[in-house]
Amino acid sequence: MASDDSSKQKAEVLPPKKQAEAGMKPPTDMLPPKPKDDPTPVIKDALKIVEILHKKVVPASKQQEFVSTGRSLDASLSNSDVVPENDGVQRSASLPPKTPADQDDSEQYIPKLRRNLHLLREDVVKLQDLRLEVADEVAKHITPLEKLLKKVDKGSSTALTKGMKKDLEDINKKIFNLMCQVPLLPKKLKKRGELDAEGGDLENDGKGIECLPGIHANEEDLRRLAVFRKVSEKFEKLSIDRKICLLSFAVFPENQEVNRTMLMYWWIGEGFLPDKIKPDESTAPDSVKPKRVFRLASKEKPCEKDRREDVVKAILDEFVEEKLIEAVENKRKVEPNSYKMAPFVHSSLVLITQEMGLFSMYKKGEKPSMHKSELNKVCLVEGSSSQTEAKAKKMPEVKLIETVFNVSERFPDFAFKWFSDDQASSGNKSLVRLSTTVYKNLMVFYLGRWERTAKRHIEVENPELMKHLKHMTKLRLLSFQGISRIERLDDAVCKLHDLIILDLRACYNLEKLPEKIDSLKKLIYLDITDCYMIDRMPKRMSWLENLEVLKGFVVSDATDDEKVCLLDELKNLTKLRKLSITINKGGLFTVTKLFVDIEDFDNLEKLKVAWGGINDHKKEETSGGGANRFIRAVTFRSQIDISEEIKKQRAPKHLPKKLKKLDLQCFPDRELPLWLQPQNLGGLEKLYIKGGKELTGFKKLPDKATECNVKVLRLKFLPRLKVEWRELSETYFPKVVFLDKYQCPQVSFCPCDGIGIWRKNRQV
């Protein structure tokens, strides 16, 4: 018995790897494992313990907010139909965790550890060479986690002690450090010719994105085809700006959907489109017209509407009419907003781009690779990080690069290094003081996703490299869309005084924007949608005088008004025409307060509001004790005071005068207020109400049809909304021509098709 005890004692001390080397067999009652074959059972065991801790320590009302999100899960968030938790609809498991601003201290540790374990489990199943090391490291933490669970079970309270928090934080740091090492291995050990696939998480069933070599590679055969001649003829008839816009489709894989907004961002950044369309541009003398080949052709008349979006749509409609691209039809869209290119047209344009020297990605008989083109464009493709050109000294003439566009690379860190201090010094470090612009040609730095879906995971493993942004002083477009592990923007971004577009959409780890964001004087488009960790806006955001589109503005419980930008302060943005807001604040910030704050946004045309993350659940009351009675009394009194203050709030005088589209998500009240009733919507043309478990209907039915101008109506996830089709179409919204009804069981007798769509005479 003594020998058995001794053996068991040693087995508890030695990790599995050492036990195997010593020829020892671990006791059968130990949790870890079988590390030589697969470390995932070890991680699974750790996760089971953490899951139990999560259920015991985190209140049930908040557990759904911390749904586990691996890389492929949190990235797969659908931007269009996801409805936050308080809408009465079950939340998608792919939604990344919300900001921990409304959590108490105990609730922050376990969800963080739980999420990191999920991330680790997704990574290690793909990496053979780390299997044993990962198993050994995680096995060390099984016993401490078991002991912690026993302490929680024995204790009278589920709150974590300081010691428990420290233990969890120490384990979490070690797990996180181990997780950070995992993605580094594929780039170092990947053999030539292999693809960086991630199972089913990538496009094309997990295979790498690459063009079919059988079409454009056979150049002689392709040139003999009628389709090539037709494409060439149509191409030659286009104006210069249209030619360059069409050729940009050559960088995307054939038959892949490309979003109109992304194309607009890219074309503006390149200078294919002007910053502003001026009415007199078509009549300007030749001496002042754009000289550069990638500018808007001077002989073309601008659109009637003075908007870049309209110019882009007109260009794409022209390509569709000429059958050079195809509009991607979506029954739930009034009109298409994505496009794709057929294989033979795509291959024909690949040859044309090679002749012009615009993009250099394709080599005969090889998969796409990264090269600087004759016209100074660089496209990052899958495996670029393994090429010799990834090193700054090997990429020729970095100073001349105009565009860096990420087509399919998942680890684009190396592109930052091209623009480092060392590269700018030309080998003479002692004489380098960058007082002048070094990379004055670089206008587009697009490292993020161009795909609307999140199947391609992108990581910046070393966010410190962003300090090199300070050398890109002529940059017009910066996109980090969908890139993981960026927790904050380096202050270097504030030196980009020519920046027009800053795209940070779906940077799930981003926690903070730079305080001096107002330095971006020329910024027109700012997108921080789906940046769930950001809980406050910098004060100087309201000083961006040229800002026209702001997506993802957060209204939170932050109380430091001197550093936080408030919603009503955005009225200083006199050019603002598109705004989307996330409201994570309750109390006095009611629907009434919201519309009072925005009533003077004179140029606002499109408004999207999503209510989510408001902590309004009732805390469990404990019986007995004078202190508890005092706390309940104070809380009750404060609630009365808030109710009295809410009653004193004045109603907004009107909606923003130019408002055409209103999108309300997770509406918190039982009824729409008076100023949102159909008869008071003014010139509004599109009304979307998506989510609202309490919303029961509109006010009392008017005696006659309203003069409401709403033509497009979307009603989704409204389980209590009760209204009949005749009331909707004849009284409330007599001009409606498109209805999208989804999961609204009491919206009855609507003549919709099988998916809930109705179009009047199929004209829209």
Side-chain angles (χ1 to χ4, degrees):
M1 290 295 293
S3 60
D4 291 341
D5 291 341
S6 174
S7 174
K8 184 176 179 179
Q9 231 175 0
K10 289 181 181 179
E12 288 179 280
V13 175
L14 293 176
K17 186 176 181 181
K18 298 296 183 182
Q19 294 178 33
E21 292 174 354
M24 298 172 55
K25 293 184 178 180
T28 55
D29 59 341
M30 288 183 65
L31 275 176
K34 307 168 182 177
K36 280 197 172 183
D37 295 328
D38 192 355
T40 49
V42 183
I43 302 175
K44 185 177 180 181
D45 291 334
L47 260 174
K48 284 182 180 178
I49 300 172
V50 175
E51 294 282 358
I52 298 172
L53 279 170
H54 181 260
K55 291 179 181 178
K56 290 180 177 292
V57 176
V58 180
S61 58
K62 288 193 175 184
Q63 286 179 11
Q64 189 65 17
E65 293 181 9
F66 300 107
V67 171
S68 59
T69 56
R71 291 195 186 98
S72 61
L73 292 176
D74 68 9
S76 63
L77 178 64
S78 170
N79 297 318
S80 57
D81 290 330
V82 169
V83 179
E85 183 176 313
N86 62 349
D87 60 356
V89 182
Q90 185 176 0
R91 178 182 296 273
S92 168
S94 62
L95 188 64
K98 292 184 179 181
T99 171
D102 58 351
Q103 308 169 37
D104 74 332
D105 194 38
S106 297
E107 297 166 16
Q108 298 182 21
Y109 294 86
I110 293 175
K112 186 192 299 182
L113 175 59
R114 184 171 175 244
R115 179 173 181 272
N116 286 338
L117 281 167
H118 274 284
L119 293 174
L120 182 61
R121 183 176 61 179
E122 287 191 4
D123 280 336
V124 297
V125 294
K126 307 179 189 83
L127 302 176
Q128 297 295 330
D129 295 295
L130 283 182
R131 298 171 78 88
L132 191 58
E133 288 76 9
V134 167
D136 286 342
E137 183 62 29
V138 177
K140 296 176 185 176
H141 306 303
I142 296 293
T143 301
L145 284 171
E146 284 183 314
K147 291 180 179 178
L148 180 58
L149 178 58
K150 290 178 180 178
K151 290 180 182 179
V152 172
D153 286 335
K154 290 180 180 178
S156 58
S157 172
T158 57
L160 298 177
T161 65
K162 290 184 178 179
M164 293 176 180
K165 292 176 183 178
K166 185 178 184 304
D167 291 340
L168 282 170
E169 189 64 20
D170 290 342
I171 295 173
N172 190 52
K173 286 180 180 178
K174 293 176 182 178
I175 293 294
F176 184 79
N177 289 337
L178 186 62
M179 183 190 72
C180 291
Q181 296 174 31
V182 173
L184 300 178
L185 193 59
K187 292 199 299 181
K188 295 179 179 179
L189 299 183
K190 187 171 57 179
K191 297 179 181 179
R192 185 176 181 180
E194 290 182 349
L195 296 177
D196 239 355
E198 278 192 347
D201 293 341
L202 290 177
E203 297 285 351
N204 199 24
D205 295 328
K207 299 178 182 178
I209 297 178
E210 65 178 304
C211 298
L212 293 175
I215 301 178
H216 66 264
N218 298 324
E219 182 176 338
E220 295 179 1
D221 293 339
L222 180 59
R223 289 183 184 277
R224 287 197 292 265
L225 296 179
V227 64
F228 178 80
R229 293 193 297 272
K230 288 182 179 180
V231 170
S232 298
E233 290 172 3
K234 292 178 180 179
F235 179 80
E236 290 301 324
K237 293 178 182 178
L238 297 174
S239 59
I240 293 178
D241 68 299
R242 300 297 201 264
K243 287 180 179 179
I244 305 302
C245 290
L246 180 64
L247 289 176
S248 64
F249 277 86
V251 307
F252 306 111
E254 57 201 32
N255 272 329
Q256 292 291 316
E257 295 184 17
V258 183
N259 182 262
R260 184 196 305 157
T261 300
M262 187 280 301
L263 288 171
M264 181 185 69
Y265 285 171
W266 187 14
W267 295 349
I268 291 174
E270 292 277 9
F272 300 171
L273 299 174
D275 299 346
K276 293 184 179 180
I277 310 292
K278 297 182 179 179
D280 60 346
E281 186 172 356
S282 61
T283 59
D286 291 339
S287 59
V288 298
K289 289 175 184 176
K291 299 291 185 181
R292 199 164 170 271
V293 70
F294 301 125
R295 301 292 180 179
L296 186 69
S298 57
K299 294 182 180 179
E300 300 244 348
K301 292 184 178 180
C303 291
E304 294 179 3
K305 295 182 180 180
D306 187 8
R307 295 288 157 75
R308 289 163 290 274
E309 291 90 340
D310 298 306
V311 177
V312 173
K313 187 176 183 303
I315 293 173
L316 293 169
D317 286 347
E318 181 181 340
F319 294 162
V320 171
E321 186 177 350
E322 293 293 332
K323 297 184 178 180
L324 293 169
I325 62 174
E326 303 171 16
V328 179
E329 299 293 337
N330 185 333
K331 287 188 176 182
R332 294 198 176 275
K333 298 288 185 182
V334 177
E335 59 182 11
N337 61 0
S338 294
Y339 304 83
K340 63 182 181 179
M341 184 172 283
F344 279 99
V345 179
H346 179 269
S347 297
S348 300
L349 290 179
V350 167
L351 294 186
I352 295 174
T353 57
Q354 291 174 335
E355 291 175 354
M356 295 183 62
L358 184 59
F359 302 111
S360 181
M361 296 169 52
Y362 308 101
K363 300 294 181 182
K364 187 172 182 179
E366 298 179 7
K367 68 177 184 178
S369 56
M370 174 186 66
H371 303 285
K372 185 175 75 67
S373 70
E374 294 177 17
L375 294 179
N376 303 314
K377 313 292 182 187
V378 177
C379 292
L380 310 185
V381 296
E382 187 178 31
S384 293
S385 55
S386 302
Q387 291 184 219
T388 56
E389 289 88 345
K391 297 180 180 179
K393 294 180 180 179
K394 298 293 184 180
M395 175 58 70
E397 299 180 301
V398 172
K399 292 182 181 181
L400 299 180
I401 292 178
E402 294 182 348
T403 301
V404 176
F405 191 90
N406 187 356
V407 179
S408 53
E409 176 59 52
R410 295 188 294 117
F411 301 98
D413 293 54
F414 61 90
F416 285 100
K417 298 177 183 178
W418 292 342
F419 309 99
S420 67
D421 291 329
D422 292 341
Q423 181 67 12
S425 67
S426 299
N428 193 347
K429 300 180 182 179
S430 60
L431 300 179
V432 177
R433 293 300 291 176
L434 295 175
S435 57
T436 59
T437 302
V438 177
Y439 302 106
K440 60 183 179 181
N441 289 327
L442 185 67
M443 296 189 298
V444 173
F445 198 56
Y446 201 113
L447 293 194
R449 283 198 311 260
W450 55 267
E451 307 95 328
R452 293 299 285 180
T453 59
K455 292 184 178 180
R456 177 167 59 107
H457 175 70
I458 307 176
E459 287 186 11
V460 168
E461 298 165 353
N462 184 4
E464 293 299 318
L465 291 173
M466 285 198 297
K467 65 185 179 182
H468 299 316
L469 290 172
K470 63 186 177 183
H471 305 311
M472 310 176 192
T473 54
K474 296 300 179 181
L475 205 62
R476 294 160 56 92
L477 165 59
L478 177 63
S479 174
F480 292 148
Q481 182 176 154
I483 297 182
S484 298
R485 300 194 182 180
I486 299 178
E487 295 183 357
R488 63 185 298 274
L489 282 185
D490 194 279
D491 290 338
V493 75
C494 297
K495 298 183 182 296
L496 307 180
H497 301 305
D498 286 347
L499 196 67
I500 297 173
I501 301 159
L502 179 57
D503 179 13
L504 304 172
R505 186 184 187 96
C507 290
Y508 299 127
N509 302 114
L510 186 63
E511 299 177 359
K512 187 178 180 182
L513 296 175
E515 296 294 335
K516 297 181 180 179
I517 194 171
D518 60 306
S519 299
L520 306 177
K521 297 295 185 184
K522 295 185 179 181
L523 196 66
I524 296 176
Y525 298 88
L526 174 59
D527 191 346
I528 47 177
T529 307
D530 298 339
C531 295
Y532 297 99
M533 301 303 289
I534 295 180
D535 64 347
R536 61 187 64 198
M537 299 288 104
K539 190 73 171 179
R540 296 186 181 185
M541 181 176 286
S542 61
W543 300 359
L544 292 168
E545 56 188 20
N546 284 307
L547 198 65
E548 296 181 18
V549 177
L550 173 56
K551 299 180 180 180
F553 186 88
V554 176
V555 178
S556 70
D557 287 317
T559 57
D560 190 355
D561 292 350
E562 294 182 359
K563 294 184 178 181
V564 177
C565 182
L566 305 178
L567 179 60
D568 64 341
E569 293 176 332
L570 295 184
K571 63 177 175 287
N572 298 322
L573 305 179
T574 56
K575 298 181 181 180
L576 190 66
R577 53 189 177 83
K578 292 184 182 180
L579 174 65
S580 70
I581 308 169
T582 299
I583 299 177
N584 295 330
K585 183 177 183 179
L588 293 175
F589 197 85
T590 60
V591 175
T592 301
K593 171 63 174 169
L594 164 68
F595 282 90
V596 167
D597 284 353
I598 66 169
E599 65 181 352
D600 293 326
F601 290 14
D602 293 335
N603 287 310
L604 190 65
E605 298 177 4
K606 296 183 179 181
L607 173 65
K608 178 180 177 180
V609 185
W611 285 265
I614 302 173
N615 184 14
D616 57 0
H617 70 281
K618 296 181 180 180
K619 295 184 178 180
E620 296 181 3
E621 296 184 359
T622 55
S623 60
N628 289 330
R629 287 195 296 271
F630 174 75
I631 292 173
R632 287 197 296 271
V634 171
T635 303
F636 179 71
R637 183 62 195 171
S638 64
Q639 291 173 346
I640 293 177
D641 293 340
I642 290 175
S643 299
E644 293 298 323
E645 290 295 324
I646 290 176
K647 290 178 181 178
K648 295 178 183 178
Q649 290 180 346
R650 73 169 180 88
K653 299 175 184 177
H654 51 75
L655 293 177
K657 297 176 181 178
K658 294 185 179 180
L659 193 65
K660 298 296 181 184
K661 177 181 176 180
L662 178 60
D663 187 346
L664 305 175
Q665 298 190 2
C666 312
F667 190 77
D669 296 343
R670 291 178 58 85
E671 289 186 340
L672 292 171
L674 181 62
W675 61 91
L676 288 181
Q677 292 298 315
Q679 62 269 26
N680 297 320
L681 292 180
L684 197 72
E685 296 179 356
K686 296 180 180 181
L687 175 63
Y688 303 169
I689 306 177
K690 303 175 183 177
K693 63 182 180 181
E694 300 296 331
L695 186 62
T696 57
F698 304 102
K699 293 282 186 181
K700 185 179 178 181
L701 193 69
D703 296 331
K704 59 179 181 179
T706 68
E707 296 182 359
C708 180
N709 290 312
V710 169
K711 297 178 181 178
V712 179
L713 179 65
R714 297 186 190 275
L715 303 174
K716 294 186 176 185
F717 307 109
L718 303 171
R720 297 187 181 182
L721 180 65
K722 188 173 183 179
V723 65
E724 292 185 3
W725 169 246
R726 181 176 296 179
E727 297 170 351
L728 275 179
S729 61
E730 296 181 6
T731 307
Y732 290 123
F733 305 103
K735 297 182 181 180
V736 66
V737 295
F738 180 91
L739 172 66
D740 180 1
K741 181 178 76 76
Y742 186 72
Q743 292 196 16
C744 300
Q746 300 191 66
V747 179
S748 54
F749 302 111
C750 296
C752 299
D753 61 15
I755 62 171
I757 301 297
W758 170 82
R759 297 172 186 262
K760 185 177 182 179
N761 299 327
R762 298 189 178 275
Q763 294 177 355
V764 295

